[in-house]
Amino acid sequence: MKVIAFKRELQGTGASRRLRKTGQTPGIVYGGTASPVAITLDHNALYHALKKEVFHASILDLEIDGVTEKVLLRDFQVHAYKQLVLHADFQRVDPNHKIHVKVPLHFINADVSPAVKLHGAVISHVMVELEISCLPANLPEFIVADLTKLDAGQSLHVKDIALPEGVTAIVHGDNQTVAIAVVPAGATAAEAEAAAPAAAAAPAAKAAAPAAAKPADKK
């Protein structure tokens, strides 16, 4: 994905405010062996790019005054209530050095899992992104979390996720929980109520059954 930017000479709060009034967003590029470079970007293009998942978890081609660099979006700031991007930070990447980045989790097959299909459980997503380590060339746009085998009361952990080749999950502490299947209390109560009449009907039916006819006495 390509991003167009230009070097900016004026910096500071006042200069940044004037840039935003002209439809530009201030930013910075850092990392690698080169010095940090202050840049400006077209606000509307950046605003719409930030809505795309791929923009947050892929290597970007950042062109600055005709020279292209490989970068990652590392941070951005938005206005508290206006649709306004205030600043964007990009980090240069070396194709030969591993990067640490968080990528989105895509959950699949929840509807066919035993938890949902058999027990009406609700799948709660404890994590929505996963921190990974890989070479830039191996960076996936997202990681798939397959819920096919998840049953009620069970959890999906990081170790249960199949990672693409060359990608390693960075886990902080114990094996982290990614998702959990919980049966709502109301559903459990409803099942119990539905089972109660059936259980009560069984003894009643047995009692109402006609007794076997006794053989007639011989005279």
Side-chain angles (χ1 to χ4, degrees):
M1 192 170 181
K2 191 171 185 177
V3 182
I4 305 295
F6 301 91
K7 289 183 181 179
R8 61 184 170 99
E9 301 298 332
L10 298 178
Q11 300 183 42
T13 304
S16 295
R17 187 182 298 114
R18 288 190 293 271
L19 277 174
R20 296 184 189 107
K21 287 182 178 179
T22 62
Q24 300 293 308
T25 299
I28 191 169
V29 184
Y30 60 87
T33 57
S35 301
V37 176
I39 60 174
T40 64
L41 307 101
D42 179 78
H43 177 270
N44 288 341
L46 178 61
Y47 178 79
H48 290 292
L50 287 169
K51 294 182 177 180
K52 300 177 181 178
E53 186 178 76
V54 64
F55 191 71
H56 297 261
S58 63
I59 304 300
L60 306 172
D61 292 319
L62 180 63
E63 182 183 314
I64 305 174
D65 294 340
V67 179
T68 301
E69 296 182 287
K70 299 290 185 180
V71 301
L72 275 172
L73 175 68
R74 278 306 190 186
D75 195 15
F76 65 96
Q77 294 83 44
V78 296
H79 195 277
Y81 56 88
K82 295 180 181 178
Q83 294 183 340
L84 181 65
V85 184
L86 301 175
H87 196 274
D89 297 0
F90 298 90
Q91 181 184 2
R92 300 183 185 97
V93 297
D94 185 330
N96 300 314
H97 288 80
K98 288 187 176 183
I99 55 176
H100 288 190
V101 63
K102 292 181 179 180
V103 297
L105 286 168
H106 283 194
F107 294 88
I108 63 171
N109 296 327
D111 56 332
V112 298
S113 68
V116 174
K117 193 172 183 179
L118 301 180
H119 306 290
V122 174
I123 308 295
S124 297
H125 299 166
V126 180
M127 297 170 61
V128 295
E129 57 185 9
L130 181 65
E131 187 174 358
I132 62 169
S133 172
C134 65
L135 290 173
N138 294 330
L139 178 62
E141 294 180 14
F142 56 85
I143 298 291
V144 173
D146 193 346
L147 302 172
T148 302
K149 298 180 180 180
L150 191 64
D151 208 340
Q154 294 182 345
S155 300
L156 183 76
H157 298 90
V158 172
K159 69 176 182 180
D160 303 319
I161 296 178
L163 298 174
E165 185 177 355
V167 175
T168 303
I170 300 175
V171 180
H172 303 282
D174 295 333
N175 189 27
Q176 290 175 287
T177 300
V178 176
I180 186 169
V182 180
V183 178
T188 305
E191 290 179 3
E193 291 176 4
K206 185 176 181 180
K214 293 181 180 181
D217 294 335
K218 292 182 180 180
K219 295 182 179 179

